[in-house]
């Protein structure tokens, strides 16, 4: 079943896919600045947390899903020096920014290839990758069970998925403050920085409509992942889930 990623309600997949393509193709060049400003720099700490939870060795082949402008791929490259990283995204304009960073040496000598890939239909062979990384990706996908099944398929047995995503603060007061920030301030900041207010109304709505920590873990379990754990960041505004493909 596919959903509208802005509401969580059943809808044709094309509705969300076309919208997300438009949004990220439009904001690609300003995306990184928006991230830095809107999260008050917290997204760097979340990425560092993701690296601590990701077990990646020098012989590993890594697939970065919804890689965007390459932040996760380049952070993995510098922190872990794996054998190779395949950085993929639905939107070529986002990957163009990543390619430019790569040309400037962002991967510290680690080979990285870039390809336009819809995570719901991954064009790679079964059991190809040791680790899959994905930050702020799954929330934008209208058919999440299918995307997770595809990730499970291309992972080697024993391989892991490391997923950073916005989540739900368990504390009621913190959640209320955060919801206010999402609804009112995110569209304001986003509009100011990128000129595309609507894209940020979408961002806020998609975060609100996304399952909480346990909900995402259940989706992963239903797709066939095991040993699912998660860690909250900034009081649960973000969470990093780690899930394994059974041996
Ligand atoms: C918020 S950005 C995150 C980019 C990057 N991971 C980061 O941490 O900066 C979300 C990305 O998901 C991509 N995306 C959305 N739907 C996708 C899909 N079905 N398959 C692959 N990528 C997708 C978008 O194009 C966008 O680049």
């Amino acid at each position: 079943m596919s959903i509208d990623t802005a509401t969580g309600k059943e809808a044709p997949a094309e509705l969300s896919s076309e919208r997300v393509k438009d949004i990220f193709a439009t904001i690609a060049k300003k995306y990184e600045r928006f991230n830095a400003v809107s999260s008050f720099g917290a997204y760097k700490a979340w990425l560092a947390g993701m690296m601590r939870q990701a077990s990646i060795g020098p012989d590993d082949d890594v697939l970065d899903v919804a890689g965007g402008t390459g932040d996760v791929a380049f952070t993995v490259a510098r922190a872990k020096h794996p054998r190779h990283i395949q950085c993929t995204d639905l939107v070529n304009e986002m990957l163009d920014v990543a390619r430019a960073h790569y040309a400037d040496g962002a991967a510290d000598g680690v080979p990285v290839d870039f390809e336009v890939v819809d995570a719901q239909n991954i064009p790679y062979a079964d059991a190809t990758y040791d680790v899959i990384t994905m930050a702020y990706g799954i929330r934008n996908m209208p058919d999440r069970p299918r995307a997770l099944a595809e990730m499970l398929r291309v992972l080697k047995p024993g391989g892991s998925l490391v997923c950073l995503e916005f989540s739900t603060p368990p504390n009621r007061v913190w959640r209320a403050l955060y919801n206010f920030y999402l609804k009112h301030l995110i569209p304001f900041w986003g509009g100011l920085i990128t000129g595309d207010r609507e894209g940020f109304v979408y961002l806020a709505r998609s975060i609100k409509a996304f399952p909480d920590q346990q909900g995402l873990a259940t989706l992963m379990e239903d797709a066939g992942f095991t040993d699912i754990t998660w860690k909250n960041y900034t009081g649960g505004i973000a969470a990093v889930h780690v899930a394994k493909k059974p041996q």
Side-chain angles (χ1 to χ4, degrees):
M1 182 196 87
S2 61
I3 55 163
D4 175 349
T5 55
T7 61
K9 301 214 169 82
E10 203 168 331
E14 301 75 54
L15 187 143
S16 297
S17 295
E18 289 311 312
R19 177 177 53 212
V20 102
K21 272 191 208 162
D22 279 355
I23 290 173
F24 286 103
T26 308
I27 66 166
K29 293 212 172 80
K30 294 167 185 157
Y31 170 78
E32 289 163 343
R33 210 168 120 228
F34 169 77
N35 261 357
V37 174
S38 64
S39 74
F40 304 103
Y43 86 106
K44 280 288 174 204
W46 301 342
L47 194 52
M50 187 185 190
M51 292 305 113
R52 281 194 298 278
Q53 278 174 259
S55 169
I56 301 175
D59 294 329
D60 285 347
D61 289 313
V62 177
L63 172 64
D64 187 33
V65 166
T69 61
D71 211 10
V72 174
F74 300 137
T75 306
V76 168
R78 292 192 297 263
K80 312 278 185 181
H81 278 89
R83 182 179 19 221
H84 178 261
I85 302 173
Q86 187 74 3
C87 179
T88 60
D89 197 277
L90 184 66
V91 174
N92 199 38
E93 287 83 347
M94 293 291 275
L95 290 178
D96 276 342
V97 178
R99 289 182 185 105
H101 291 321
Y102 185 60
D104 290 341
D108 209 13
V110 172
V112 183
D113 283 297
F114 303 89
E115 190 172 7
V116 172
V117 168
D118 182 341
Q120 299 155 123
N121 195 10
I122 301 178
Y124 306 138
D126 298 0
T128 305
Y129 293 99
D130 299 284
V131 179
I132 295 178
T133 52
M134 172 172 60
Y136 316 114
I138 188 82
R139 178 175 34 86
N140 294 299
M141 296 172 195
D143 194 342
R144 292 167 189 152
R146 180 165 169 166
L148 289 168
E150 278 292 84
M151 288 181 241
L152 187 79
R153 181 182 66 74
V154 300
L155 269 178
K156 294 177 187 170
S160 55
L161 164 64
V162 186
C163 171
L164 166 60
E165 190 50 87
F166 288 106
S167 205
T168 306
N171 178 283
R172 215 160 38 88
V173 177
W174 187 226
R175 190 164 64 238
L177 282 169
Y178 174 56
N179 283 341
F180 179 85
Y181 177 70
L182 267 185
K183 190 161 178 210
H184 300 288
L185 299 181
I186 284 282
F188 170 76
W189 279 123
L192 203 69
I193 294 166
T194 69
D196 175 33
R197 191 177 187 282
E198 279 318 299
F200 294 90
V201 171
Y202 163 73
L203 173 69
R205 290 182 73 197
S206 71
I207 292 173
K208 209 97 211 268
F210 191 67
D212 65 8
Q213 290 81 340
Q214 180 57 60
L216 177 56
T218 301
L219 277 178
M220 289 173 168
E221 199 178 356
D222 291 347
F225 285 95
T226 56
D227 301 309
I228 302 159
T229 56
W230 71 82
K231 190 167 164 28
N232 285 338
Y233 291 92
T234 317
I237 287 180
V240 175
H241 286 67
V242 178
K244 295 252 179 228
K245 176 167 177 169
Q247 282 288 353

